[in-house]
Amino acid sequence: MKPNKKQKKHPLIAGTLILTLTGLVTRFMGFFYKIFLSRTIGAEGMGLYQMIFPIYSVCYAFTAAGVEIAISRFVSGENSRGNRQNARSILSMGLAMSLSLSLLTSFLLYTNAEWIAVHILREARCTLLLQIMSVTVSFGACHSCISGYYYGLQKTAVPAVAQLVEQTVRVGAVYLIYRVALEEGRVLSPAAAVIGLVLGEFSSMLFGLFCVSAHGFSKKKVSGTFFPAGTYARKMVLLAAPVSANRVCMNLLGSAEAILLPFTLQQYGLNPERALSIYGTLTGMAMAFIFFPSVLTNSVSVMLLPSVSESQASGNREQISRTVRKTLSFSLPLGAACTCFFLLTGKFLGTFFFKSDLAGDFIITLAWICPFLYTNSTLHSILNGLGKTSTAFVNNLSGIMIRIIFILIFVPRFGIEGYLWGLLANQLFVAVLNVGALKEYLGQGKTA
């Protein structure tokens, strides 16, 4: 029994390391890519570019988020029983479901792009960006399904490499467009960044399809057991629907937040161009620094969820208690250290990397949320590992509602400072809720 246990743990640890290294590389690439964009399309262009992402997040949540999890879970079950053919049938079924939804979503997004830009985003210049982005919805859905398939097989190398391919092609394509524009004496527009997004997702989809095809033809056909397609389709829908509904709900609220902030900044007295510049500086520049250390906590979160689930399944509450306390003892000092670092260097980071004094001011102000931000990401993973997904959802929902309330009440009166206060209140409140949800484990094991 012991050797089998080791064999089961090894792919998990190896997969986590692969994803962690990939996350570091892509985070570095994305970080310097944002610096490049900030210097080529400017703060206002960054604001326009950032405004379309909440819409993309809603499209992804509706078309792929739940299906990816369903594919991963059911493929894992069939793979553990040695039914590889059934696992591939599940992938095919998931692709059919996700692509059907994504093609419909792409059509609706493209044909209604102007209405969404004018009436929802309140920025007509986003019309072209939304039309270009609509092409990438189907590519992203296919990519997500294939990633879910390989996660189910515990082969994380393929999704990791696909992520690198996507980021490399995206950055490379935008740089080539920039060089051509420079030679022709034109300025790089936000549309170029969206074209890079489309090409990146398309390339990662092609890479994933190639790997699936090569994996299928490189092995002898394995005879799977009888595959009840109708039963699995029903199970996949029942699993994917609530996950997608939760994600759509969260992303809709996140979209409302992103849409309301530039609008309420105009109510404060700023003109539309200045409001977009401030929004782009905050989300596209300052946030890039604040979220950069989260690559460490995200890696820990990946390892925490299966670890906590295993401890709960074996009834080892003492181990869960140790995990919660060690998580807090790791996340809080990391956040405190980052707070000190950003307080001391924020001004320099903003002016040196982004040529923006405002970005430096935002980094200094946002430094105070670091301990709560990094702690919340790990505690959220523990809650999911314990099966308390509803609690985690409600806690995060409460945080978003706090931010929206601050946007509606404080931003029109105090400007962007009102939103920054909301970010701090949100992270602090969610941290209290997360710790409260885990308080039954905080006192365990102290006497042991």
Side-chain angles (χ1 to χ4, degrees):
M1 288 299 291
K2 282 186 179 178
N4 287 339
K5 199 172 182 182
K6 276 189 176 180
Q7 284 174 354
K8 280 185 179 179
K9 283 188 175 180
H10 183 265
L12 175 64
I13 296 171
T16 300
L17 288 173
I18 290 171
L19 291 176
T20 301
L21 291 173
T22 306
L24 282 169
V25 174
T26 54
R27 187 66 65 93
F28 268 109
M29 292 174 66
F31 176 72
F32 288 105
Y33 177 59
K34 282 194 173 183
I35 295 173
F36 168 74
L37 285 181
S38 71
R39 295 186 179 185
T40 52
I41 66 176
E44 186 179 352
M46 284 289 285
L48 288 170
Y49 178 60
Q50 292 292 134
M51 282 187 77
I52 68 170
F53 275 96
I55 304 297
Y56 180 70
S57 297
V58 171
C59 294
Y60 167 77
F62 176 67
T63 61
V67 178
E68 179 184 349
I69 290 174
I71 290 174
S72 179
R73 179 170 177 178
F74 291 121
V75 164
S76 177
E78 291 295 334
N79 184 56
S80 66
R81 291 187 285 269
N83 299 330
R84 289 293 179 87
Q85 289 293 93
N86 289 0
R88 291 178 70 84
S89 297
I90 290 169
L91 171 62
S92 300
M93 188 178 296
L95 280 170
M97 293 169 57
S98 189
L99 286 175
S100 299
L101 291 171
S102 63
L103 289 172
L104 174 62
T105 303
S106 294
F107 174 76
L108 292 174
L109 180 58
Y110 184 86
T111 54
N112 295 281
E114 184 176 3
W115 187 89
I116 294 171
V118 173
H119 294 93
I120 297 180
L121 298 182
R122 298 180 180 273
E123 180 52 70
R125 288 177 291 176
C126 287
T127 301
L128 177 62
L129 306 187
L130 289 172
Q131 289 176 331
I132 299 171
M133 188 192 73
S134 67
V135 181
T136 203
V137 176
S138 297
F139 301 152
C142 184
H143 172 205
S144 296
C145 289
I146 294 172
S147 295
Y149 171 71
Y150 279 103
Y151 288 140
L153 295 177
Q154 292 188 319
K155 295 180 181 292
T156 55
V158 172
V161 175
Q163 191 179 354
L164 279 174
V165 169
E166 188 272 331
Q167 189 79 305
T168 303
V169 172
R170 183 200 297 195
V171 174
V174 175
Y175 182 72
L176 285 176
I177 295 172
Y178 165 71
R179 294 296 303 177
V180 172
L182 202 63
E183 290 181 5
E184 296 179 354
R186 295 185 288 108
V187 178
L188 193 71
S189 70
V194 187
I195 292 172
L197 177 69
V198 174
L199 294 176
E201 284 289 1
F202 179 68
S203 61
S204 63
M205 179 195 71
L206 285 183
F207 175 78
L209 289 173
F210 171 78
C211 290
V212 170
S213 301
H215 182 71
F217 290 123
S218 65
K219 295 183 178 287
K220 293 180 181 179
K221 230 171 185 181
V222 182
S223 57
T225 58
F226 169 70
F227 182 72
T231 302
Y232 263 111
R234 186 167 61 254
K235 286 182 177 179
M236 289 180 73
V237 170
L238 289 174
L239 177 62
V243 173
S244 295
N246 285 347
R247 294 280 185 90
V248 168
C249 179
M250 294 294 292
N251 282 298
L252 281 174
L253 287 171
S255 301
E257 177 186 2
I259 293 163
L260 285 170
L261 183 54
F263 178 68
T264 50
L265 283 173
Q266 292 177 44
Q267 290 182 325
Y268 174 65
L270 302 179
N271 61 46
E273 291 75 20
R274 180 58 179 164
L276 268 178
S277 294
I278 289 177
Y279 177 72
T281 301
L282 174 64
T283 58
M285 301 180 195
M287 289 290 195
F289 274 106
I290 298 300
F291 280 98
F292 190 83
S294 67
V295 70
L296 296 174
T297 53
N298 289 343
S299 301
V300 172
S301 298
V302 170
M303 292 160 37
L304 277 173
L305 196 149
S307 173
V308 170
S309 297
E310 184 179 339
S311 299
Q312 186 185 41
S314 62
N316 193 344
R317 289 178 61 88
E318 187 177 332
Q319 179 60 39
I320 297 173
S321 177
R322 282 198 296 268
T323 301
V324 173
R325 293 201 307 275
K326 285 181 180 178
T327 297
L328 289 172
S329 65
F330 165 76
S331 301
L332 287 173
L334 173 66
C338 289
T339 296
C340 294
F341 175 76
F342 288 133
L343 287 174
L344 293 173
T345 64
K347 199 72 177 177
F348 166 77
L349 295 174
T351 53
F352 180 79
F353 286 100
F354 297 112
K355 309 296 183 185
S356 170
D357 291 334
L358 185 60
D361 293 335
F362 285 158
I363 292 171
I364 292 173
T365 305
L366 291 170
W368 297 103
I369 74 171
C370 290
F372 312 113
L373 176 68
Y374 306 149
T375 300
N376 283 331
S377 67
T378 51
L379 294 184
H380 180 78
S381 183
I382 291 175
L383 287 171
N384 284 331
L386 291 171
K388 298 185 176 185
T389 52
S390 297
T391 301
F393 170 70
V394 170
N395 291 356
N396 284 341
L397 183 64
S398 302
I400 290 182
M401 293 305 296
I402 287 173
R403 296 204 301 267
I404 290 177
I405 290 170
F406 269 80
I407 289 174
L408 292 173
I409 297 176
F410 291 95
V411 173
R413 295 181 60 192
F414 302 100
I416 193 63
E417 286 80 6
Y419 179 64
L420 299 178
W421 299 338
L423 285 176
L424 179 58
N426 150 50
Q427 292 296 334
L428 178 58
F429 184 69
V430 173
V432 171
L433 291 178
N434 286 338
V435 171
L438 294 168
K439 64 180 180 181
E440 62 180 295
Y441 298 102
L442 290 173
Q444 297 285 326
K446 287 185 179 180
T447 58

